[in-house]
Each structure stands twice: as C-alpha cells, then as structure tokens.
C-alpha cells in the first residue's frame, strides 16, 4: 500500500461542498500547491474541529495528507491566519471578497502553483479588510489577475497596427482580441467598445503601482464605467459566463448610489 505523505501550505478557501453525512469537500488556493481539493472529515458534525478555517475566503495554514502528491487530500488540521472579520461584518465588502475568490477559482486549475497569484489574493483581501473599498480596487484586481493568468490585455498600443496610445485619437477595446484598437483597426470588429485614453492610462498605472499606493489612483465616473465595461466584457469572453458575485455586487452598488 502506498504511504500517505503529510504536507503543509498556506491556503484560502475558494469554495466548499457538503459531502456524505458529516464531511465537507473544500477547494483551497494554496501558496505551495496552487488549487487543491481536500476532504474535511467530520467538519459538519463538529464545528470545533476546523473552527472558522473552512469558511469562504478564510486564510489558514493547512496540514493535509495524500498519496503520490495527487488526488483528493485529507485535511488533517487548519490554523486560521486571518478570518477577515471586518470584511464579514460588511455586506458589500463580503461580496467583493467573494468576487475575488470566484475569479481566482475560475482562472486556476488544480495542481498548478502560482505564488504571485496567491500573494495577489492576500494583498487585495488585505486592502478590503483595512477599509479600502472603492470600485477601483476591483478593476486593479481583475487586471493583475488577468496578467498573472496569462491573459494580460494589450493596453499600450493598437493591438493590430501597433500605433501607440498617444498617437491615436479614438480608441476602442476589443474583448475578442483582448486589447485596444485604433479607430481604423476597430472598424470591422463589432465587439469593440469605445474607451477614453484617460481610462486606459489609469488602468496602466493601476497595473504596476505598489499596493500601499493604490488608494492614490481615483477614477472619474466615466473611467469607472468604462473600465468596468471593458474588463468585465473581456473576462466574460474568456470564461464564457457571468460570475454570480459580480452581478450581486453591481446590484448592491446601484442600490447604494
Ligand atoms: Zn490600429
């Protein structure tokens, strides 16, 4: 019989599923193993055993065992590092955090390690938890996640003819091609969305700026609308669906306006 090996990782809960009488299957995003599925035995019978560690977007140190470094892991132990209480106390923040988690889940596959993506989730949940909740945060998360997943949109020059951003008057974003286009190249692309240069410049700044300085970038109303539209349509095009949490978030934000 193959022996089970014991591993340790830092992990966020992406989602959970009830299993059998008393167990729960938990999907984590970990620093060392990427996306990982494990069974938390007895999690529904005894709340004490895993405490808050297997609630959505909790961050914990998990100890698990599995055979041959693959297959369903058995979660042996979880120690909560951050439960994000301030996020959980605020409906809008909770949904925004759920959106980040849903995006991470959709853009990752099991067993593929990406420590930078793990750090991105950690940094941005930290930003929401520390009180920053403007809409810009969601756009910068989307942009950075796209980049780390290999889908970075081309925003610096026309995707087709290479005309630089500053040398073109009207620009468009093409969700099909994942980049901006000048007016000439956008003519035959019915999917292309008009966008202002100011919006693209803000996104380019938000893509690179240090996390501690991110709150300095404040979008105009027009830029908020445009950036949400172009990144949203690009993500929808890649995933082929709308994400539930984003729809709920948009509804709540409209109600609060
Ligand atoms: Zn062009």
């Amino acid at each position: 019989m193959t022996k089970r090996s014991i591993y340790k990782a830092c992990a966020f809960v992406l989602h959970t599923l009830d299993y059998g009488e008393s167990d729960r299957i938990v999907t984590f995003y970990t620093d060392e193993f990427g996306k990982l599925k494990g069974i938390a035995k007895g999690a529904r019978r005894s709340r004490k055993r895993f405490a808050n560690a297997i609630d959505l977007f909790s961050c914990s140190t998990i100890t698990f065992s599995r055979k041959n470094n693959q297959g369903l892991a058995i979660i042996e132990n979880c120690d909560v590092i951050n439960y994000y209480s301030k996020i959980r106390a605020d409906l809008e923040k909770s949904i925004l955090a759920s959106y980040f988690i849903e995006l991470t889940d959709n853009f990752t596959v099991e067993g593929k390690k990406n420590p930078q993506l793990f750090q991105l989730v950690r940094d941005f949940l930290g930003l929401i938890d520390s009180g920053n909740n403007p809409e810009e945060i969601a756009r910068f998360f989307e942009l950075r996640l796209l980049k780390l997943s290999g889908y970075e949109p081309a925003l610096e020059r026309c995707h087709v003819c290479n005309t630089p951003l500053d040398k073109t008057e009207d620009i468009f974003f093409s969700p099909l091609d994942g980049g901006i286009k000048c007016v000439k190249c956008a003519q035959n692309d019915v999917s292309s969305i008009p966008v202002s240069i100011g919006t693209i410049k803000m996104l380019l700044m938000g893509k690179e700026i240090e996390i501690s300085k991110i709150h300095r970038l404040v979008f105009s109303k027009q830029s908020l609308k445009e950036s949400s539209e172009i990144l949203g349509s690009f993500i929808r095009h890649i995933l082929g669906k709308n994400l539930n949490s984003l729809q709920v978030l948009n509804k709540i934000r409209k109600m609060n306006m």
Side-chain angles (χ1 to χ4, degrees), residues 107-194:
F107 274 89
T108 51
V109 289
E110 265 180 73
K112 200 172 170 206
K113 178 176 164 180
N114 189 341
Q116 283 175 293
L117 185 52
F118 177 86
Q119 191 57 43
L120 179 80
V121 177
R122 198 169 201 173
D123 286 343
F124 273 73
L125 287 184
L127 276 180
I128 313 174
D129 199 46
S130 63
N132 287 294
N133 190 31
E135 238 182 290
E136 286 88 338
I137 298 288
R139 303 294 85 81
F140 298 149
F141 182 82
E142 290 167 342
L143 203 53
R144 289 175 187 217
L145 175 119
L146 284 166
K147 183 178 176 182
L148 291 173
S149 319
Y151 293 99
E152 183 178 7
L155 301 177
E156 263 141 20
R157 49 187 69 243
C158 172
H159 194 51
V160 183
C161 71
N162 269 332
T163 303
L165 191 59
D166 289 326
K167 297 261 160 55
T168 174
E169 274 178 26
D170 295 312
I171 51 168
F172 296 79
F173 180 81
S174 167
L176 293 187
D177 293 334
I180 57 163
K181 285 181 175 179
C182 68
V183 63
K184 233 171 84 188
C185 297
Q187 261 172 11
N188 298 323
D189 183 350
V190 286
S191 75
S192 62
I193 305 162

